[in-house]
Amino acid sequence: MSEYQYSEIERNRLSKLEQLRQQGLEAFPARVERSHTTQAALTEFEAAEAAADAAPLQATLVGRIRSIRQMGKLIFAHIEDGYGRLQLFLRADTLGAEQLQTFRDYYDLGDFVEARGEMFRTKAGEASLNVAAIRMIAKAITPLPAAKDEVVDGEVVRHATLADPETRYRQRYADLAVNPQVREVFRIRAATTRSLREFLDSHDFLEVETPVLQPVYGGAAARPFVTEHNQLKQELYLRISFELYLKRLLVGGYERVYEIGRDFRNEGVSRKHNPEFTMLEFYMAYADYQRVMEFTEEMLRFTAQQVLGGAKFSYQGNEIDLGRDWPRITVADAVQEFAGIDLAQYPDAKSLAAAMAAKEYYVAPKASRGKLIEGLVGDHVEPRLIQPSFLYDYPREISPLAKSSPDDAQTVERFEGYVAGFELCNAFSELNDPLDQLARFEEMSGMDADDEDRHPLDEDYLRAMRYGMPPNGGFGMGIDRLTMLFTDQPNIREVILFPHLRKREGE
RNA sequence: GGCCCCGUAGCUCAAUGGUAGAGCAGUUGACUCUUAAUCAAUUGGUUGAAGGUUCGAGUCCUUCCGGGGUCACCA
C-alpha cells in the first residue's frame, strides 16, 4: 500500500480528472493521432509560406502543455514535445465555446494533449496551430516543479525552475521534464558512446560482452561489491574492470576487442566517483603503449569532432584543445618539474618519504614507493595538466598487469591521459608473460587482505596466458568523465541519469 | 569516515531569539493576438525529525535523517 498523501493541488487535479471522466472524456487514451512533430509542423509551415500557392497546413500535434495564457474567449498555450515547442491558439470561433470552456476548466500545465488544426501566424508573428479540436491524452496529477517559461532569442528560459540537487537526482524524470539543458547532457552522452563505437568498429575492433558477475575480480585496485548466487551457493563479485576477460579473448584469437559497460567499485562517492560507472576498455594485439597513445589521440579527436563539431571546447573556464599533439612526459620528469623531487635519487619508499616530508608534502602512511609517487602525481602533477597530456612510465608495484620497461625494472610501460586536471584514461603495454604475471600476483599476496592495492590471484587468467597471449596494448577510459568534459559539468552526477544517493527512510 | 555548510508553501527564495512572508504555480473573477500576458481577489506551513535552553525558537544547543562542499579514500 502506498502511503502517498496528495497535496491540495493534486487533489484539485484529481477532481478535474474525475469530472472529465463523468463527461465521458478519457484522460489516458491508449491511442493518439499525430501527423507532425512540433518541429516538422514549423518547418513545413514555413516552407508552405514561402511557396505562395501552397495549401494551408493541417496538423495534428501532441505534447505537454508548458504555458497557458488566457485572454477571455481566446487562449494561447505552448506545447512541448521531444522536438521542440509550438504555440496553440484556441479561440471560441474555431474550437467552439463549449470545448474552450472544457479546456479552461480541466486542462493544466503539464498535461499531455493532442491538438488538431491549421497552422497560421499570429499577429505577433508566431507560427501557431489554430486549434479545431483538442483532447487530453495524459493528465498530470502532480504539478511540474517549474513556474514559467520565457523565450529569449529563441532559447527557452525557465524561471524558478527545479534547482535543488537532491530532488533533481532523486526525481530525474522531473528534472528532465523541466530542464532542457539536462536533456541535452544525455544526448551528448549518447553521441559520445556512439562515436567511440563508430571509431573502434571502423578500426576493426570487435565489440564484446564479458561477465559482470565474476568469481574472481581484478583488473584494478578497488574494493568490489560482493553478492551470492543462491543455487550455486557461490560468492560472486560485481566486476571492477573488464580487463582480465578481454585479454583472455586475445588468447582466443581476436586481435582487437572492446567493451563499453558498467563497472562497480565499492568506494567513496565524490564529484568524480560514482559506485557504478561506465567504462570503455579496448585491447589491441601487437600494439605497445606508445601506439595506444597515438590511437587515443586519434580516437578522442574523432569523438570530439562527431559530438562537438571540433576539437576545442570549454571546461569549467578552461579552453581545452584536443587537436594539438598531446605532450608526453614521464612520471619522473613530471614529478621533477611540478613537485621538485628527483625520483632517481630516492630508490626506496623510506628515502622518498623523507624527501617528501622535507618539502612538507603529504606522505601517506605505510605507502610503497609506487604509492608515494602516485601521491605526488595526484597532489602536484595532475592539477597542472589542463591541456590534454600523457604521463607515462609508472612504478611497477602499482601496476601489476603492465609490462616492465626493458631498461628499468622499477618502471612499467603504462600511461595515463589527463585533461582539465583529472585522469581520463589509463593504458599499458599489457603484461603477457605468465611467469612474470605470476610473480606480480605473488608480490601482492604479501599484502593485507584489505589493502586496496592487493590484486587477487586469478588462476584461470594465468592459464589463459600460458596458452600464449600476443603482445598487446590495453586501454581504459571513464565514459562519465569524458561526458563531463564534453558537457562542461563539474560533477559526475550530472552525467549519470540516476546517480547513487543514500536511501531515504521509507523508500 | 573527519571537518564545514544547508534543509522554511508545489518551485525559487525572505524572515536581530519577538505575529512565518514574497514572487510564480493553485483557486475565483475580468479580458478575442498573448508569450515570464495583464488586472482584482484568494487558498496553501507540525519551518526535515525528536529532544533541550528560554517568558518566547525557523533562528541557540544535542541527537538523528537527508543533501552539498572539502579532506581521507578512489592503481
Side-chain angles (χ1 to χ4, degrees), chain A residues 334-342 346 359 361 380:
Chain A
V335 168
Q336 175 70 269
E337 181 178 346
F338 297 114
I341 288 182
D342 180 4
Y346 309 104
K359 286 188 174 289
Y361 292 163
H380 303 279

Side-chain angles (χ1 to χ4, degrees), chain A residues 25 33 86 119 143 211 214 243 261 291 310 314 317 320 350 356 396 452 457 492:
Chain A
L25 298 171
E33 298 288 324
L86 193 143
M119 292 293 295
Q214 303 180 347
E243 173 151 1
R291 173 72 190 103
S314 173
I320 308 292
K350 194 179 167 191
M356 288 167 66
R396 171 187 161 106
E452 295 277 354
L457 192 154
I492 198 167

Side-chain angles (χ1 to χ4, degrees), chain A residues 2-12 14 141-142:
Chain A
S2 170
E3 293 172 6
Y4 185 72
Q5 298 286 317
Y6 288 107
S7 70
E8 184 188 347
I9 292 176
E10 289 169 325
R11 285 196 301 273
N12 181 266
L14 285 170
I141 306 302
T142 305

Side-chain angles (χ1 to χ4, degrees), chain A residues 22 28 75 84 100 122 126 137 166 189 198 214 221 280 282 312-313 341 379 388 424 440 494 499:
Chain A
Q22 280 172 5
F28 297 96
I75 299 173
L100 192 76
T122 61
E126 179 167 350
I137 59 174
E166 182 176 358
R189 181 175 175 127
E198 184 183 343
Q214 303 180 347
L280 161 68
F282 69 69
K312 292 183 186 174
F313 59 91
I341 288 182
D379 292 344
L424 181 64
R440 306 293 190 89
E494 294 293 345

Side-chain angles (χ1 to χ4, degrees), chain A residues 351-362:
Chain A
S351 60
L352 180 56
M356 288 167 66
K359 286 188 174 289
E360 296 187 350
Y361 292 163
Y362 173 76

Side-chain angles (χ1 to χ4, degrees), chain A residues 13 63-70 75-80 85-90 103 107-111 113 126 134 144 146-151 156-159:
Chain A
R13 289 186 174 204
R64 195 196 274 276
I65 300 174
R66 295 312 318 242
S67 66
I68 299 175
R69 293 174 296 283
Q70 302 201 16
I75 299 173
F76 296 92
H78 274 95
I79 58 167
E80 181 177 83
R85 62 207 316 269
L86 193 143
Q87 183 168 259
L88 301 183
F89 182 84
L90 300 95
F103 184 90
Y107 286 52
D108 290 298
L109 293 177
D111 293 349
V113 298
E126 179 167 350
I134 186 164
L144 286 171
K148 293 206 169 179
D149 293 353
E150 179 184 18
V151 179
V156 178
V157 177
R158 224 144 256 181
H159 294 273

Side-chain angles (χ1 to χ4, degrees), chain A residues 457-484:
Chain A
L457 192 154
D458 188 333
E459 287 287 3
D460 181 71
Y461 178 62
L462 287 170
R463 173 169 59 196
M465 204 180 276
R466 284 195 297 268
Y467 277 113
M469 178 187 290
N472 68 93
F475 171 93
M477 178 172 67
I479 301 288
D480 311 272
R481 289 188 180 177
L482 183 60
T483 307
M484 285 167 70

